[in-house]
Amino acid sequence: MSGTVRIHWAIAPAIAPRPLVNCNRCGGVKAYRCSEKFRVNANGKRIDAWLIYRCVVCENSWNFGIFERCNRRDIDPALLQALESNDPGLVRRHAFNVSALRNQVGRVEEFPDVAVQRHLVGETSESATALELRLGLEMPISLRLDRLLANELGISRSRLQTLEERRLLAVRPDGAKALRRAAHEGTIVLVDLAGEPDREAIISAAGG
């Protein structure tokens, strides 16, 4: 493909997953949202730490365990400070840890919403006829690749399928089946737009 525009998409989930917890105040299973606050409890040399969640209906609390009965000397002082100050980066890291949440409660409500930051790689020109997208994920997401591309490029999923069938769209390293799977780190999407009347609009949307 000559005249290729290369763009890196830095993708991050936008809404934290919500554990489904039996709320003893509401009397049933409810979604709980992250409060973005930790609770740290010291009992002598032992430290417990939790990320606090609140019922979306009644605000009842549920504690997502980070560590329990851990010896203070085994905890990095910087980590302890981050917990005690409710460091946003540390909150986000734990709040989006779907596997850990599932291990504690079993059922988790996930959201497909993502934020995409676009970075042009190299130079571009008005005569460009092809697009190369490189995906970088802050953490795993549940959004399918075809939905991600359709949302961000402003075209339909059926159009993406047609482009793939005409061999104008390729996904590396996983091939066409990747369109129906969750987008993941390191995926490269190549699109030949030479014969497409709206190629400029698609390239513009890709670059934001």
Side-chain angles (χ1 to χ4, degrees):
M1 296 182 192
S2 61
T4 301
V5 177
R6 294 176 173 83
I7 300 171
H8 180 267
W9 281 2
I11 303 166
I15 302 176
R18 294 175 177 176
L20 300 177
V21 179
N22 186 33
C23 179
N24 55 23
R25 188 178 294 173
C26 291
V29 174
K30 301 295 180 183
Y32 275 62
R33 59 172 177 78
C34 178
S35 71
E36 301 186 4
K37 294 184 183 298
F38 291 106
R39 177 187 171 195
V40 180
N41 181 54
N43 184 2
K45 295 181 180 180
R46 299 292 178 179
I47 302 291
D48 298 298
W50 305 270
L51 182 58
I52 301 172
Y53 281 73
R54 298 284 182 184
C55 174
V56 297
V57 177
C58 71
E59 291 290 308
N60 190 38
S61 67
W62 173 76
N63 294 332
F64 171 32
I66 306 303
F67 49 75
E68 298 181 8
R69 308 297 294 166
C70 189
N71 194 303
R72 179 183 287 270
R73 67 184 179 185
D74 295 331
I75 304 174
D76 186 331
L79 172 58
L80 187 56
Q81 173 61 31
L83 289 165
E84 292 175 338
S85 63
N86 299 311
D87 178 77
L90 187 61
V91 168
R92 181 173 177 83
R93 193 174 81 195
H94 286 290
F96 282 88
N97 191 337
V98 179
S99 297
L101 281 169
R102 283 205 183 99
N103 285 340
Q104 290 201 22
V105 298
R107 297 171 58 198
V108 177
E109 180 182 19
E110 295 185 70
F111 301 90
D113 308 64
V114 297
V116 179
Q117 292 187 342
R118 298 159 166 83
H119 306 279
L120 181 66
V121 180
E123 299 181 354
T124 185
S125 68
E126 294 183 358
S127 60
T129 59
L131 185 62
E132 179 183 297
L133 300 173
R134 293 178 177 264
L135 309 188
L137 273 66
E138 175 190 356
M139 58 189 70
I141 61 174
S142 59
L143 183 63
R144 279 176 34 156
L145 179 59
D146 59 354
R147 291 185 183 276
L148 172 68
L149 294 173
N151 291 343
E152 300 300 326
L153 298 179
I155 60 179
S156 67
R157 286 187 291 157
S158 60
R159 171 89 175 278
L160 290 169
Q161 184 65 37
T162 298
L163 288 170
E164 188 277 324
E165 290 172 354
R166 294 166 57 199
R167 300 184 183 278
L168 299 177
L169 184 150
V171 182
R172 298 175 182 169
D174 300 323
K177 291 183 179 179
L179 286 174
R180 296 181 291 278
R181 298 173 181 163
H184 63 81
E185 170 71 26
T187 293
I188 299 174
V189 181
L190 305 168
V191 192
D192 185 345
L193 298 167
E196 304 302 309
D198 56 348
R199 65 178 176 81
E200 292 184 4
I202 295 173
I203 291 175
S204 177

